[in-house]
Amino acid sequence: MITRSATAPARICLAGEDLDWIGLRSLCIAVDLPTTAQTAGVEAAATEDDLTAAAVAREVWWFLCDRLHICGQMPGVVVSTAAPIGGGLSSSTALVVALMRLFLSHCQAAPMGDIEIARLAYEFEFTTCHGGGMDQLAIALGGAVLTQGCDGRLPDVIDRVEFPSDWIAIVVDSKIRKSTARHIACVRTQVATGDSRLGEYCHRVDAITEDMWNALLAHQLHEVSALVADAHEAMRDCQDMSTDRLELLRKLAFEEADLHLKVCGAGGGGSLVGVAHRDDAQAILSKCRRAFRDGGLAADVAAVEAV
């Protein structure tokens, strides 16, 4: 049997968590923390998290069989990922996209566009987490993507551009996993009850997303970085999406390296993300690592390319 492989990047949300299913705007970039799926005989999937990966692989296979009338035996799959699991960088969606690309290649199905891959991945994941589709679009399309959210279907792509080549993403892994499903369930309860704090959050972050996109198009790194901080403050103050540990990491990064960070994804743990000029990256990493170490915080920090 021919060995095949497929990859999908992780994604960073710079602004707009939850707005992709509430109906407002989100801004994400794809980053070079890839998930790779590769065929491996006919045995069950195997990864560092064997049972989870095997279960997802089987579910994706049968989903594609039902939707696309694929026939045959599912190949064995080996999966690896560079993104921290439960880190808010959408490693779960990257796994689904990589598996779909792999299985379509394995079955020699007709070529499928990135939007259609994103749509299939969204439909697959919506049945279990009832979230939005910014992750699927960012991962499938790559680059920087501005979306207009919609509940129950894939968001509309307002615009997509390449991330500036002289900028780089900074990712701080707090080493604490977050729970997306629990978070979405809580926010859906807020929507149903007309929670005023959620309304304030939506108003603030939709405006931040618009301003950030315009600053990105204008190549204004300082403005984008300041808006990253604004997006975090809305997440923290309106939606309690931060923790004392995350706030301490943010404080140290800003005081020691002049780096603004925001929580990425559902919050409560996971990763903090920011943007910096490529030429400043190594100095920022050194300062953050020293500050985190001196503060007794076991957190990883890395500079990650946009893709």
Side-chain angles (χ1 to χ4, degrees):
M1 183 182 72
I2 298 174
T3 299
R4 301 177 186 274
S5 66
T7 63
R11 75 90 184 91
I12 285 173
C13 181
L14 292 179
E17 278 86 354
D18 295 319
L19 301 192
D20 56 333
W21 60 266
I22 290 177
L24 299 172
R25 290 168 291 190
S26 302
L27 195 174
C28 295
I29 62 171
V31 293
D32 190 22
L33 291 170
T35 293
T36 301
Q38 179 175 305
T39 55
V42 295
E43 300 300 321
T47 69
E48 295 177 358
D49 193 356
D50 290 340
L51 295 177
T52 299
V56 173
R58 286 192 295 270
E59 290 169 4
V60 169
W61 173 261
W62 289 115
F63 175 85
L64 292 177
C65 286
D66 178 63
R67 290 299 182 90
L68 305 179
H69 308 296
I70 291 172
C71 298
Q73 184 178 10
M74 173 185 151
V77 180
V78 175
V79 176
S80 62
T81 184
I85 304 300
L89 304 180
S90 204
S91 59
S92 57
T93 295
L95 173 59
V96 171
V97 171
L99 286 168
M100 286 187 170
R101 287 173 170 165
L102 178 69
F103 290 151
L104 290 170
S105 173
H106 171 77
C107 296
Q108 298 182 317
M112 186 172 291
D114 291 334
I115 292 287
E116 188 56 32
I117 289 284
R119 183 173 292 106
L120 284 172
Y122 168 76
E123 291 173 358
F124 173 81
E125 293 190 270
F126 185 78
T127 59
T128 56
C129 72
H130 303 290
M134 67 178 181
D135 299 350
Q136 293 83 359
L137 283 168
I139 287 169
L141 295 177
V145 182
L146 179 67
T147 56
Q148 180 74 49
C150 183
D151 195 10
R153 69 168 176 83
L154 197 68
D156 295 320
V157 177
I158 300 172
D159 200 0
R160 178 202 171 277
V161 298
E162 296 299 321
F163 197 67
S165 60
D166 55 340
W167 298 6
I168 200 159
I170 305 295
V171 177
V172 177
D173 179 9
S174 73
K175 302 293 188 178
I176 299 175
R177 289 195 178 192
K178 50 83 185 170
S179 173
T180 300
R182 182 169 62 246
H183 170 81
I184 291 174
C186 291
V187 179
R188 284 195 173 273
T189 298
Q190 287 183 289
V191 171
T193 58
D195 189 287
S196 60
R197 294 183 70 202
L198 177 63
E200 180 185 353
Y201 168 76
C202 291
H203 175 75
R204 285 173 60 178
V205 175
D206 185 59
I208 289 168
T209 302
E210 179 180 19
D211 291 343
M212 190 184 294
W213 184 258
N214 291 333
L216 189 155
L217 294 180
H219 210 80
Q220 297 171 334
L221 176 60
H222 184 269
E223 182 68 13
V224 170
S225 183
L227 289 164
V228 163
D230 291 346
H232 176 87
E233 290 167 7
M235 296 171 74
R236 178 194 64 202
D237 299 344
C238 300
Q239 289 295 86
D240 301 320
M241 293 168 73
S242 190
T243 66
D244 290 344
R245 179 184 176 85
L246 294 177
E247 290 304 311
L248 180 55
L249 288 167
R250 291 185 68 245
K251 178 175 182 290
L252 290 173
F254 182 70
E255 289 180 348
E256 300 299 325
D258 196 28
L259 176 67
H260 288 298
L261 294 171
K262 69 174 284 292
V263 66
C264 187
S271 299
L272 293 161
V273 299
V275 293
H277 195 280
R278 174 179 303 279
D279 293 344
D280 299 330
Q282 290 308 311
I284 288 172
L285 295 183
S286 295
K287 291 175 181 178
C288 285
R289 287 167 182 156
R290 182 174 60 250
F292 298 162
R293 182 180 64 249
D294 292 348
L297 297 169
D300 291 336
V301 57
V304 184
E305 298 281 351
V307 293

